[in-house]
Amino acid sequence: MSFAISVEFEGNGFQKVKEAFEKLADPPIDDLIETLAFTVENQTKARLQDEEKTPDGNPWPELSPKYAAWKAKHFPGAQKMLERKGDLRDSIVSLLNNGSAEIGSNLPYAARQHFGDDGGFPSREFLGISDDNMEELDSVADDWASDLLRQVQ
């Protein structure tokens, strides 16, 4: 180029634009992941407390008559299928690690409840994301993105 001029933009307005682009270039994704993980925790707890069905919407298999009678005797008032004292529901947590999250339980019997076993114990899946859950997660992510854009204006 045989001829050029150099222009430097200064002033408060340009500084705000620069800061906005910097924020958008490095958004606080960990905040979003934490919020989504907390939402999935609550969705899972609701599935255990209220829904009693798999994430795909299938009802859990009924308790065996023998176990239902034992449970009624030893844990009166525990009406929910996977509840005695609420330990499984209360154990649902998320672990955040380098831009990802895992949601689950550390109770020894949680996997057996979820997957069942070869001895005839039926699977009662409680971990996972239903279509309704996904809609809620989409909404949470949309709200997060909208909030981020409002912050940079």
Side-chain angles (χ1 to χ4, degrees):
M1 181 179 317
S2 61
F3 178 75
I5 61 170
S6 176
V7 179
E8 287 189 32
F9 295 98
E10 296 180 7
N12 194 31
F14 292 110
Q15 183 61 30
K16 285 183 181 178
V17 170
K18 181 181 175 189
E19 289 170 5
F21 277 115
E22 287 172 356
K23 186 157 187 144
L24 289 174
D26 189 23
I29 295 295
D30 287 343
D31 293 347
L32 172 62
I33 292 170
E34 183 176 3
T35 301
L36 292 172
F38 182 71
T39 302
V40 174
E41 280 182 42
N42 287 332
Q43 292 169 339
T44 303
K45 289 176 181 180
R47 185 172 297 115
L48 288 164
Q49 179 68 36
D50 303 321
E51 299 171 15
E52 296 191 339
K53 59 184 177 180
T54 68
D56 293 337
N58 298 315
W60 291 336
E62 293 294 323
L63 299 175
S64 71
K66 182 178 177 182
Y67 179 73
W70 179 90
K71 183 177 176 183
K73 179 179 178 183
H74 292 90
F75 294 93
Q79 303 297 318
K80 301 300 175 187
M81 193 173 305
L82 296 186
E83 180 180 273
R84 288 184 186 173
K85 297 181 286 182
D87 293 345
L88 180 59
R89 181 193 63 242
D90 294 343
S91 75
I92 302 298
V93 295
S94 59
L95 299 175
L96 306 175
N97 187 19
N98 294 328
S100 67
E102 294 180 7
I103 293 86
S105 169
N106 64 351
L107 291 179
Y109 61 84
R112 183 174 186 225
Q113 292 287 5
H114 184 80
F115 296 110
D117 67 19
D118 293 338
F121 192 88
S123 168
R124 294 184 178 94
E125 295 177 37
F126 57 91
L127 294 173
I129 299 174
S130 69
D131 291 342
D132 288 342
N133 294 158
M134 186 55 78
E135 287 180 24
E136 182 181 5
L137 293 170
D138 285 344
S139 178
V140 167
D142 286 346
D143 290 347
W144 177 85
S146 295
D147 288 345
L148 180 63
L149 291 174
R150 273 193 292 280
Q151 292 173 21
V152 299
Q153 292 178 346

